[in-house]
Amino acid sequence: MGSSASTLTPPSSPPGRVWQASAITTHALSEDGARLLAESSLGTSLRLPSNNQSRTGTVYTSLDTRGSQQTLTGTDMYAGKQCVVRTNKVAPVIIKDCREEFQQFLEISEPIIHGSLAEGMLEHPLIKGKYFIVQDFNDVKDTLQTYRLTSAPNFHQASSDQPIFASGQPTVNGLGKVLTHLMSDSHTQILLLNLRSEPILFQRVDDDYVPYSVRHQENIHNMVMMGDTKDSCDHIESCIRKEIVSLAGIEDEFVFYFYDNLDKLQQEPHIRKVEFEEDILLSNEVYAREAFSNPSLRYDRICLPEMGIPTEDLVDQFLSHFRESPAYLDKNNPAFPAVYLISHSGGRRSAIMMVMSCLIYAHKKGTLVKESSHIINPKHPNYNDGEYQAVQKLVNHLTDGNLIKQQVDSVIDECSQVINLRTCIIDHKKKLEAAAFKRMQTDSFVEHVHAGCLSALETYCFLITFNAYLRDQMPNNLSWSYNKWLHRNPEVIRLCSQLDFSELSSPPSLLSSQHRVLVYDDYIGLDVLSSQMDIKVSNFRRLMGLPIYGMAQPTRKGLSKVVNHLLHHKQGYSNVIVVNLRSDYVLEVDETSYSVRDMSNLAEPIHSQCSSGKDLEEMEQKLKKELRSKKVWKAYKEITSPAVDIEVTSVFTPEELYEQQRLSTLDMHYRRLPLQYDHCLNEQEFDEIQDLILSFMKESGSWVDNSHAFVFHCRTGKSRTSLTMAVAGLLFYHMTGFPYGANPDEQERVSCPNARYTKGEYLVVEKLIWMLPDGHQVKREVDLVLDRLFETMSPMHFHLREVIFVVFNKGKSTTGAAKRYMNRLSYDFLERYLYLILYNAYLHMEKSGHFQRSFTRWMTEVAAPAGVYELLDNLGFFTLESSPSEFSRLKNRILDRQQKLPFSGVFV
């Protein structure tokens, strides 16, 4: 048969015969395609070709009941009859009385897998071999008892007569009832937002279409999340519907299997007819058709995650509906739409968007409180009012932070008919601490509640941040996107990513219960520079030509040796400043340095997030007291070997260790400057390093008179120490002048494979260089410092620039969790390199003003408007990978760096 349909009329058939058509000129009819299904009435018929039209060469074979055949040709035998021939995915089989019987081939390429919900239940085909279709209301608690009246669970309005409404998922008829109610309430404009990221299908039940969601056979009570954008969700729903229709076509009755009530499995599944796509409606069909027939209704799908907060893109998608109608933001114009929000149950997701909508409405109407009536007391926080450590830090950072928080609290309370987004934090907190008190640290329930607690707190911090954005941008009609505003306020991203401060309250008794243990700081292979023999400290080295030194954690003997070496021997400095960069707990027990580690992760010391040196010293004093409570303790010399018993005679904290040394060496100074992460510095840490150095270099000649030596150390003398030495080196060179090698004609030529990348010439680095004044020279100076630093530590194989490419390649050859870790680490190293270039640009621009403006301020006031944070929030090895990883985003990198420890203590 040809590409277009031909119209033929079969001859009159003798009794007992039917006519079968086959196109002998193009395709032979397969035997499989000749299977007869029930007759289908065709909506159209085609006319015979006229006598002067070419014939298709179709041959009709008469089949009688005895199996004999008779072949007829020519148009004379078709007189007075009509038939239809189709070729597109349809095999024409029998033609009689203007009706066609055909087979529609199934579009299923994968094997059809059958399964049952429970043992002894009916087996039937599963979607994608693993999914059931379950009625959406199974997991919805209709707290407000509205389903009976509206067919929409938990339908409610924000208090104070704000035009903001929400509900759980309505049926198709229920949606019509709600919209009719809103229009009869004089709402001339309606903004309907579907907040669901899970696929929803509406199946015909009686005279309504009822919503169903997709459930995995191993976790039937949880919905399956499949999309994160409107288009992807709509496409997934469409694919699921096509598969349901195809699977239903396997059965002669065209039926599929739906579960209405998981609590009464003896009545399940319900077998319902699904013959055509019209038997199941997609979300887009349900909502878009309402909007099509009602010009006053606008519809959008904003795919919120079931847990967590909206992404910046989703927030801007939501705000676009208000930007497109400036009257909605104009304080002098009363226009504002009725916002109707639909989620699964009308709970958490609806509440988040209700609060956001109410905040916009309240900013427009000017109904928010104007003055703060309460100041947080950090020593006695009220957790019922959401005064957690993370919230305190965020509020302290934001201008009028207390007022912004108080405004959010009042709006949350107005939208709390189903869930109060602030008090649910305290509910999770109580469950979490009760479980931890019972020593259930390894229980998955604790992890689950801990994750829920953090998610609720993240939501609260997000709403405070969103209100700060509105307060800043509503007078400008939201001219900046939320994403752009965050890039102009990068510290907000960090503060909202660092939520868990429970380590600050972890009990020292965890040592006694052996949930935490002591691990020897030194280990075989640590001293790669072989400095223990001469100086009694591992990895002792100098940044060539500068009074900047680095080392691993010293013991009392090692510290004394280093200080005397720098003060009294050939170096001849008059002052030595020792800077401890460790953010973990350190104790020296009988002249051996130990770190405190959790049994769940012996490889890494416990880092106390965002703690000051004073905070760390206080906790180390508590740990010291715990150690003194008994004589013998278990400790690890090597984490690959069993623990051994150690007898405790003397215990010193780092502060006490250095105070003892000062008794004999008054020219030694000690500072604790804990760096949060091994491989990255934030802006404040750059400032702290710079301020510390400048505080000792106040005399005009101190930069060149070789009077002060700075010795930095972390646990190993590698990552944090090397990075801090590089920062200090850049500052010193700006004050004393860069040596030979910093100018274009002085650089060493590099000729080796992938030299472009080992020189740090990635696309994102080039973009930064193009952006910075004299950017190539700025990068060249950073490279000089890194090369000079590497020359004194080359046995470590830890060049701060070249390691980017090395780790990236390692990540490509690994799998699983190791691959993910190496991938993030390569992005961390790339970010670190960019920050060093930015810091050097800052030194160039601010040196003439004696650094009156801090690096943090410079990044906010100068670098951010130039687009630096857009760059840092879109990192990537663009010429080396097909697409950037999740660690392209700043927030994802921050979250993944954080240590994952079992919860203990108090959620603060």
Side-chain angles (χ1 to χ4, degrees):
M1 292 170 11
S3 60
S4 59
S6 302
T7 54
L8 300 173
T9 306
S12 301
S13 55
R17 294 178 184 240
V18 295
W19 292 98
Q20 180 172 340
S22 61
I24 59 174
T25 56
T26 53
H27 301 286
L29 185 67
S30 68
E31 292 183 5
D32 291 339
R35 179 173 173 263
L36 300 181
L37 299 176
E39 290 187 356
S40 303
S41 176
L42 296 174
T44 58
S45 60
L46 301 178
R47 292 181 294 110
L48 273 171
S50 59
N51 288 336
N52 62 352
Q53 288 178 298
S54 60
R55 296 170 183 165
T56 62
T58 301
V59 176
Y60 280 86
T61 304
S62 172
L63 303 176
D64 60 21
T65 55
R66 297 177 300 278
S68 60
Q69 299 187 1
Q70 175 184 353
T71 301
L72 302 173
T73 60
T75 58
D76 54 333
M77 58 185 174
Y78 308 137
K81 302 290 184 181
Q82 289 183 331
C83 69
V84 178
V85 178
R86 290 183 179 176
T87 61
N88 186 20
K89 294 186 180 180
V90 177
V93 181
I94 292 180
I95 299 175
K96 61 180 181 179
D97 297 330
C98 302
R99 298 172 72 83
E100 178 182 5
E101 298 189 9
F102 62 91
Q103 176 183 7
Q104 177 75 43
F105 291 105
L106 300 180
E107 297 181 6
I108 300 178
S109 58
E110 300 175 358
I112 299 173
I113 297 176
H114 289 67
S116 62
L117 195 57
E119 190 174 348
M121 291 186 67
L122 174 68
E123 287 196 347
H124 56 81
L126 304 181
I127 302 296
K128 298 298 180 187
K130 55 186 175 182
Y131 298 120
F132 294 89
I133 303 298
V134 179
Q135 193 172 121
D136 209 32
F137 302 140
N138 267 283
D139 309 296
V140 176
K141 185 176 180 181
D142 187 18
T143 306
L144 304 181
Q145 299 293 306
T146 61
Y147 184 74
R148 185 177 299 175
L149 293 175
T150 63
S151 297
N154 294 319
F155 177 71
H156 62 286
Q157 179 181 3
S159 60
S160 302
D161 296 325
Q162 299 174 94
I164 315 298
F165 304 83
S167 78
Q169 181 65 63
T171 66
V172 171
N173 289 348
L175 177 64
K177 292 177 184 178
V178 171
L179 294 178
T180 300
H181 167 73
L182 295 180
M183 287 184 284
S184 65
D185 233 11
S186 302
H187 295 292
T188 57
Q189 296 292 322
I190 300 173
L191 175 59
L192 171 59
L193 299 178
N194 175 12
L195 309 179
R196 308 194 67 172
S197 57
E198 61 273 20
I200 301 300
L201 303 169
F202 294 80
Q203 207 269 331
R204 194 197 304 270
V205 178
D206 300 326
D207 60 346
D208 199 356
Y209 282 85
V210 176
Y212 285 78
S213 52
V214 179
R215 312 292 179 100
H216 196 282
Q217 58 180 341
E218 295 177 359
N219 200 349
I220 197 67
H221 287 283
N222 288 346
M223 296 173 297
V224 177
M225 306 289 161
M226 292 184 177
D228 56 2
T229 65
K230 178 180 185 297
D231 290 340
S232 65
C233 285
D234 290 345
H235 176 69
I236 289 168
E237 286 179 5
S238 176
C239 292
I240 293 172
R241 177 171 71 177
K242 288 181 184 297
E243 185 165 354
I244 290 175
V245 173
S246 295
L247 290 174
I250 297 172
E251 309 282 349
D252 290 340
E253 297 83 8
F254 288 95
V255 295
F256 197 71
Y257 304 83
F258 299 85
Y259 290 80
D260 288 0
N261 192 334
L262 297 179
D263 295 328
K264 299 179 179 179
L265 291 179
Q266 65 273 18
Q267 301 174 10
E268 304 294 338
H270 286 68
I271 303 172
R272 298 196 179 100
K273 192 173 184 66
V274 180
E275 188 170 0
F276 307 105
E277 290 195 354
E278 294 93 318
D279 293 327
I280 295 176
L281 297 181
L282 311 178
S283 296
N284 195 42
E285 289 175 332
V286 171
Y287 298 117
R289 288 171 181 176
E290 287 282 356
F292 190 87
S293 59
N294 186 350
S296 64
L297 174 65
R298 284 195 296 173
Y299 162 70
D300 195 9
R301 184 171 193 167
I302 300 178
C303 301
L304 296 190
E306 191 175 20
M307 298 296 290
I309 60 174
T311 64
E312 293 88 345
D313 291 338
L314 292 176
V315 174
D316 284 323
Q317 181 185 348
F318 166 67
L319 293 173
S320 66
H321 294 284
F322 297 92
R323 290 195 190 98
E324 291 168 2
S325 301
Y328 294 164
L329 303 174
D330 186 357
K331 291 186 176 182
N332 299 317
N333 193 317
F336 200 86
V339 181
Y340 177 32
L341 306 160
I342 296 175
S343 63
H344 177 221
S345 64
R348 185 181 174 279
R349 284 182 282 188
S350 290
I352 291 173
M353 297 300 287
M354 280 190 90
V355 172
M356 293 169 68
S357 303
C358 288
L359 284 170
I360 294 175
Y361 183 79
H363 273 285
K364 171 178 173 154
K365 296 294 185 180
T367 56
L368 292 169
V369 293
K370 302 296 190 297
E371 294 182 5
S372 175
S373 59
H374 176 70
I375 303 297
I376 297 174
N377 182 348
K379 293 184 178 180
H380 302 285
N382 185 338
Y383 296 127
N384 288 311
D385 287 342
E387 296 175 355
Y388 299 88
Q389 286 274 344
V391 175
Q392 291 181 42
K393 289 180 178 291
L394 179 59
V395 164
N396 290 337
H397 173 75
L398 296 171
T399 304
D400 293 329
N402 276 294
L403 176 60
I404 290 170
K405 174 187 177 298
Q406 194 169 330
Q407 291 173 342
V408 170
D409 286 340
S410 64
V411 173
I412 285 177
D413 292 339
E414 292 171 357
C415 303
S416 61
Q417 292 93 321
V418 178
I419 182 174
N420 187 300
L421 295 173
R422 185 183 65 257
T423 59
C424 70
I425 312 172
I426 196 73
D427 293 339
H428 280 89
K429 171 181 164 69
K430 290 175 181 177
K431 289 180 186 177
L432 179 62
E433 292 170 357
F437 179 75
K438 296 175 183 177
R439 290 290 183 265
M440 296 167 60
Q441 283 89 346
T442 58
D443 195 334
S444 59
F445 173 75
V446 178
E447 295 179 12
H448 175 72
V449 179
H450 190 202
C453 205
L454 289 173
S455 179
L457 181 57
E458 180 187 33
T459 300
Y460 186 50
C461 289
F462 160 72
L463 292 172
I464 293 172
T465 301
F466 181 73
N467 191 35
Y469 161 78
L470 292 179
R471 183 178 170 84
D472 191 40
Q473 289 297 306
M474 278 294 284
N476 302 320
N477 290 332
L478 307 182
S479 59
W480 281 9
S481 68
Y482 181 66
N483 204 16
K484 180 178 179 179
W485 183 83
L486 283 177
H487 289 148
R488 296 297 185 273
N489 296 272
E491 187 61 19
V492 171
I493 300 176
R494 290 194 178 91
L495 291 172
C496 290
S497 304
Q498 298 168 331
L499 303 174
D500 192 357
F501 292 86
S502 56
E503 180 56 40
L504 297 176
S505 62
S506 60
S509 59
L510 291 173
L511 273 176
S512 297
S513 62
Q514 294 190 2
H515 287 91
R516 293 184 176 178
V517 292
L518 297 176
V519 178
Y520 195 25
D521 268 337
D522 201 359
Y523 56 88
I524 296 173
L526 171 63
D527 187 25
V528 293
L529 298 183
S530 301
S531 60
Q532 275 279 0
M533 186 179 300
D534 295 328
I535 214 79
K536 304 302 180 187
V537 175
S538 296
N539 298 327
F540 181 77
R541 67 193 191 278
R542 179 184 184 181
L543 179 52
M544 185 170 46
L546 294 176
I548 299 171
Y549 297 82
M551 63 182 179
Q553 173 68 49
T555 60
R556 267 179 286 176
K557 288 182 180 179
L559 178 62
S560 177
K561 187 80 173 176
V562 167
V563 171
N564 288 323
H565 171 77
L566 296 176
L567 286 175
H568 304 305
H569 291 80
K570 60 181 179 178
Q571 302 302 329
Y573 296 104
S574 56
N575 288 277
V576 174
I577 300 96
V578 182
V579 185
N580 181 359
L581 305 173
R582 297 183 68 166
S583 61
D584 58 311
Y585 308 131
V586 189
L587 292 168
E588 187 185 275
V589 181
D590 297 325
E591 299 189 8
T592 301
S593 179
Y594 291 89
S595 58
V596 178
R597 311 195 187 185
D598 195 271
M599 284 299 295
S600 66
N601 183 12
L602 284 177
E604 285 295 322
I606 296 170
H607 296 283
S608 187
Q609 181 173 297
C610 296
S611 293
S612 65
K614 183 180 178 182
D615 294 332
L616 287 165
E617 177 66 22
E618 289 176 356
M619 177 56 80
E620 285 160 350
Q621 285 289 347
K622 294 176 182 177
L623 292 168
K624 172 184 173 179
K625 185 178 180 180
E626 185 75 12
L627 281 178
R628 304 281 272 180
S629 65
K630 61 181 185 178
K631 195 77 171 174
V632 179
W633 289 84
K634 293 283 186 185
Y636 287 84
K637 295 286 186 181
E638 291 281 342
I639 61 174
T640 54
S641 303
V644 297
D645 289 332
I646 61 169
E647 190 171 319
V648 176
T649 304
S650 66
V651 183
F652 290 93
T653 68
E655 183 80 28
E656 293 170 337
L657 179 71
Y658 286 97
E659 282 302 316
Q660 276 221 339
Q661 181 63 39
R662 273 183 57 79
L663 294 176
S664 59
T665 316
L666 296 177
D667 296 328
M668 188 207 78
H669 309 271
Y670 170 71
R671 298 289 185 274
R672 183 86 175 253
L673 196 114
L675 302 184
Q676 197 166 344
Y677 302 117
D678 257 346
H679 311 295
C680 293
L681 295 177
N682 59 42
E683 291 85 345
Q684 292 84 355
E685 289 169 334
F686 277 94
D687 285 331
E688 288 169 357
I689 296 168
Q690 177 176 297
D691 291 344
L692 185 148
I693 294 173
L694 292 177
S695 69
F696 285 97
M697 308 296 282
K698 294 177 181 177
E699 301 292 332
S700 58
S702 57
W703 294 100
V704 293
D705 65 5
N706 215 34
S707 60
H708 292 72
F710 291 87
V711 185
F712 300 98
H713 81 81
C714 57
R715 179 173 61 94
T716 63
K718 296 180 181 179
S719 52
R720 298 176 201 223
T721 298
S722 300
L723 179 53
T724 310
M725 290 174 73
V727 173
L730 286 169
L731 179 58
F732 262 85
Y733 278 140
H734 271 276
M735 303 308 291
T736 62
F738 279 87
Y740 182 87
N743 295 315
D745 57 342
E746 300 167 352
Q747 276 199 306
E748 185 179 344
R749 298 283 182 178
V750 179
S751 178
C752 64
N754 297 307
R756 172 187 174 189
Y757 299 119
T758 56
K759 290 194 299 180
E761 295 176 358
Y762 303 95
L763 180 59
V764 69
V765 176
E766 291 175 347
K767 287 181 178 180
L768 179 61
I769 290 170
W770 301 338
M771 189 184 298
L772 296 173
D774 205 9
H776 287 90
Q777 179 63 22
V778 171
K779 176 184 181 296
R780 193 177 293 115
E781 291 167 357
V782 171
D783 289 340
L784 170 77
V785 173
L786 299 186
D787 291 342
R788 286 200 155 206
L789 182 62
F790 182 64
E791 287 172 8
T792 67
M793 53 177 281
S794 53
M796 289 184 182
H797 301 291
F798 199 78
H799 193 297
L800 296 188
R801 182 186 66 248
E802 294 179 3
V803 74
I804 304 170
F805 187 60
V806 172
V807 172
F808 177 80
N809 277 333
K810 275 186 180 180
K812 291 198 295 186
S813 61
T814 55
T815 58
K819 182 181 184 70
R820 189 173 188 275
Y821 171 73
M822 298 296 281
N823 184 234
R824 197 216 74 217
L825 202 55
S826 65
Y827 274 81
D828 283 351
F829 289 153
L830 182 60
E831 179 186 322
R832 176 177 67 186
Y833 187 47
L834 290 171
Y835 262 96
L836 286 171
I837 294 171
L838 283 164
Y839 179 66
N840 195 33
Y842 157 78
L843 294 176
H844 272 280
M845 295 181 68
E846 297 298 316
K847 180 171 60 175
S848 60
H850 304 289
F851 310 115
Q852 291 298 309
R853 178 160 51 183
S854 68
F855 180 59
T856 302
R857 271 187 61 206
W858 181 85
M859 286 288 284
T860 303
E861 296 173 2
V862 179
V868 163
Y869 283 104
E870 282 84 349
L871 209 63
L872 292 168
D873 202 28
N874 188 30
L875 289 189
F877 297 87
F878 298 107
T879 57
L880 296 172
E881 55 187 355
S882 57
S883 60
S885 79
E886 63 180 295
F887 302 120
S888 172
R889 302 299 303 272
L890 174 61
K891 179 180 179 180
N892 292 339
R893 296 195 297 275
I894 294 172
L895 288 172
D896 200 69
R897 289 171 195 151
Q898 295 170 16
Q899 207 168 26
K900 281 74 175 176
L901 295 172
F903 174 79
S904 60
V906 181
F907 189 83
V908 297

